[in-house]
Amino acid sequence: MRPNLKGKHLLTTQDWTKEDIEDVMEVTRKLKEDRYLNIPHDDILKARTFFMLFFEESTRTRNAFEAGITQLGGHAHYLTPKATQIDHGETEQDTIKVLSRYGDGMGIRRSEPGGSKYMKTLASFADIPVLNMQCDDYHPTQALADLFTIKEKFQNDLKNKKFVISWTYAPNYIRPLSMAQSLALLMPRFDMDVVLAHPEEFRLKPEIISQAEKNAEKAGVNFEITHDMDEAFADAHIVYPKSWGPIMHTEDEQEGLDLIDKYPNWVVDQDKMDLTDPESLYMHCMPFDRGVEVTSEVADGEHSVIYDQAENRLHLQKALMALTMA
Ligand code: CP
């Protein structure tokens, strides 16, 4: 392992080399093993502080970071715009310059439009590593934990595994593109053939698709887009069905919600899973609309690895903090 990740920001996995990511996987494995064997590792970040700035709510991301740094011997501060001077207009520069004097790392979640710009600006002034806890474009901690889960389940043999990112029907609100975009960028770099399935209006950003295609070409794997969910699921080794908004088609919220309602059949049930490889994985970052975008039969069924994914957020985020902040 190369000790060159100290102080490095993680805004998107695209900024990290494959070797960087393999180092994260290795440390994640070690920390997970230690925890299972009850071997303490609370000297790694002893007395270190991780600031967590949330513009939106979280169950997994927040608690994995907070429990994680406690297990590494440090402490996390939970911050919101209202609990700081950010709501009064304090700039990205002033916020991070001051926090850099107090602590050792910072995570930010801002998945509303403009979130990635805010994070990038803040990181440009930071003297401590800044980790993206989800923005409008990327969700790197989730995608890396998902890669770790897939590696575990397939014993690192990912060559030409068919990985399907599929849009699903989930009404009520518009979800960001970040999860689908992060998966589209990361999985081809690790030798998987990626299929992206969605109704036409639910396309991802063109610059992300272009980069995902380049990543696939470099790795010698396929990256394809289809508008047919059944075709995507056929013989898939991993399916990752997840809702996102028609953000590239319309900025009008009501029009977006109406478009989602056009596709109520884009849901995952046992018939869909029967199209996949017998050993396939059903994955979801959670939270999901149980009983709407996926049946409980599938979510709790033999293909589902959703709780392993959620658990691996803990080990993975500990590895990220240990490598960037120690
Ligand atoms: N998957 C995920 O990021 O979950 P939370 O929104 O609960 O953090």
Side-chain angles (χ1 to χ4, degrees), residues 57-61 109 134 139 142 285-287 313:
E57 302 70 26
S58 161
T59 297
R60 281 144 289 271
T61 309
R109 167 169 288 191
Q134 189 176 18
H139 197 352
Q142 180 70 56
C285 56
M286 303 174 80
R313 298 290 302 280

Side-chain angles (χ1 to χ4, degrees), residues 62-102:
R62 174 188 173 174
N63 291 294
F65 270 120
E66 197 160 337
I69 195 161
T70 302
Q71 291 164 22
L72 293 170
H75 181 70
H77 291 200
Y78 177 69
L79 307 174
T80 64
K82 275 203 188 322
T84 59
Q85 298 293 5
I86 293 167
D87 250 11
H88 288 153
E90 189 154 71
T91 64
E92 294 92 322
Q93 174 178 342
D94 294 338
T95 301
I96 191 62
K97 279 290 178 199
V98 171
L99 293 178
S100 292
R101 301 284 177 106
Y102 300 153

Side-chain angles (χ1 to χ4, degrees), residues 170-195:
N172 303 330
Y173 68 98
I174 306 278
R175 293 153 178 87
L177 307 178
S178 50
M179 195 64 248
Q181 295 197 152
S182 283
L183 297 170
L185 289 172
L186 183 63
M187 298 313 172
R189 295 176 71 194
F190 287 85
D191 299 331
M192 285 173 262
D193 288 322
V194 172
V195 176

Side-chain angles (χ1 to χ4, degrees), residues 230-298:
D230 284 358
E231 181 189 303
F233 270 52
D235 301 318
H237 299 101
I238 303 129
V239 290
Y240 204 122
K242 163 86 182 74
S243 182
W244 62 86
I247 292 162
M248 300 306 296
H249 185 81
T250 178
E251 288 178 11
D252 183 88
E253 190 177 345
Q254 191 53 54
E255 194 184 342
L257 292 170
D258 292 345
L259 273 169
I260 293 171
D261 273 332
K262 257 179 79 178
Y263 300 103
N265 296 329
W266 280 68
V267 294
V268 185
D269 56 15
Q270 195 54 48
D271 287 347
K272 283 273 189 318
M273 291 309 298
D274 288 344
L275 299 171
T276 67
D277 184 85
E279 304 295 322
S280 69
L281 308 181
Y282 165 80
M283 301 185 76
H284 198 294
C285 56
M286 303 174 80
F288 50 31
D289 277 4
R290 187 180 268 272
V292 180
E293 59 181 304
V294 58
T295 62
S296 283
E297 187 185 9
V298 171

